[in-house]
Amino acid sequence: MNVVVTGATGGVGSWLVDHFADDGHEVLGLDLERPPGEHENATFLATNLTDQGQTWDAILAHDPDAVVHFAAVPRPGIEPDARTFLTNVESTYHVLEAAGRAGANVVWASSESIYGSVFADEPWLPEYFPVDEAHSRRPADPYATSKLVGEEIAAMAARKHGISVTSIRPSWVTYPGEKRTARAREAFDPATAEPNGNFWTYVDVRDVVSIVAAALENAPDGHETYLAAAAENFLDRPTAATIETVFGDLPAECDLEGDESAFSTAKARSDLGWEPTHSWREAETEPLEGPAFLER
């Protein structure tokens, strides 16, 4: 395939470029800056995706079979609120509209924050556990709201152009060899812990790559959404009991066993044949690694 990957020098985007290029696909990587190195089967363009002309020119010239859109301001607090919202919405519109004009199927990064609790000033409990794709969405920050608008753009592009558009809602993305989950676990005390809006959920970057590949291989009709989360929390504690201790309550409907993730991936298993295969238990002790084309 000819594949376009946006956010090609970012955390997840660089792993996606690696995956598709290593599989022999012709990859065009788009980001604000080109990477310092090169990758066989991949070319890179410095592109501002909030500019319609640049975006359409880059994508349509590649004649893609698939577009994987992971470029974004990745969370609130990095840019001013308006810039976060506008950057994410404008870039998503330009990329998905170009993909539709090219007749390319799309997988793009929405977020678990779309439900509203993740970046809330005072995290709150959902209506039920585990949270699934059908749960109501009540974002109250510019980043999560940009993802809500992005999913509407995705649905529009699928209807307008007759392409498949898959919105992936990843949890907190972690990487092999890093120690963020270990540090968080070691510092955690349920008696003093602050409420966590994603309920100590995470997903390994390699599982994000595999769900993107599964969504392209099993492209759904129209627009579909899928959560991407690890099978368990990263605390090594019972999920429901930990939430109840920290939040002081649980929703009336709670069906969590042991350290099971608070976010369900049952829909992805059913529709895409995908399930997470990586755990913090192995990943924390693996060598720190990343795509070589990011290195000089």
Side-chain angles (χ1 to χ4, degrees), residues 74-183:
R75 61 184 180 275
I78 299 174
E79 303 276 2
D81 286 353
R83 184 177 176 88
T84 297
F85 178 80
L86 292 173
T87 297
N88 290 353
V89 171
E90 289 179 346
S91 61
T92 298
Y93 175 76
H94 295 329
V95 170
L96 269 61
E97 180 65 15
R101 289 170 181 262
N105 290 336
V106 176
V107 180
W108 81 286
S110 183
S111 170
E112 66 173 5
S113 68
I114 200 169
Y115 300 105
S117 182
V118 174
F119 295 118
D121 292 336
E122 296 184 8
W124 39 264
L125 292 173
E127 297 159 18
Y128 53 83
F129 283 120
V131 176
D132 60 16
E133 290 80 0
H135 192 283
S136 59
R137 301 163 297 168
R138 303 191 295 272
D141 67 88
Y143 171 76
T145 305
S146 76
K147 295 302 184 177
L148 177 62
V149 175
E151 289 195 6
E152 292 300 322
I153 293 170
M156 177 275 294
R159 289 191 295 267
K160 178 180 179 182
H161 297 289
I163 59 173
S164 171
V165 185
T166 304
S167 297
I168 304 297
R169 298 174 181 172
S171 188
W172 178 42
V173 180
T174 61
Y175 298 83
E178 67 173 8
K179 304 300 181 184
R180 289 186 298 165
T181 50
R183 290 193 295 269

Side-chain angles (χ1 to χ4, degrees), residues 51-80:
D51 183 286
Q52 181 188 44
Q54 290 185 41
T55 305
W56 286 21
D57 185 16
I59 292 175
L60 294 176
H62 192 62
D63 191 23
D65 303 295
V67 173
V68 180
H69 175 46
F70 270 68
V73 179
R75 61 184 180 275
I78 299 174
E79 303 276 2

Side-chain angles (χ1 to χ4, degrees), residues 141-258:
D141 67 88
Y143 171 76
T145 305
S146 76
K147 295 302 184 177
L148 177 62
V149 175
E151 289 195 6
E152 292 300 322
I153 293 170
M156 177 275 294
R159 289 191 295 267
K160 178 180 179 182
H161 297 289
I163 59 173
S164 171
V165 185
T166 304
S167 297
I168 304 297
R169 298 174 181 172
S171 188
W172 178 42
V173 180
T174 61
Y175 298 83
E178 67 173 8
K179 304 300 181 184
R180 289 186 298 165
T181 50
R183 290 193 295 269
R185 186 171 57 257
E186 291 163 1
F188 181 80
D189 180 349
T192 59
E194 293 291 327
N196 182 312
N198 90 329
F199 317 106
W200 304 278
T201 305
Y202 74 103
V203 63
D204 190 288
V205 66
R206 294 164 292 186
D207 286 326
V208 179
V209 170
S210 68
I211 196 173
V212 169
L216 288 178
E217 184 177 348
N218 304 281
D221 293 333
H223 173 240
E224 289 290 346
T225 59
Y226 297 99
L227 279 159
E232 70 290 313
N233 68 56
F234 60 79
L235 293 178
D236 199 22
R237 294 171 179 266
T239 306
T242 302
I243 293 171
E244 185 172 25
T245 299
V246 175
F247 282 80
D249 199 4
L250 281 173
E253 183 180 344
C254 181
D255 186 19
L256 294 172
E257 297 184 1

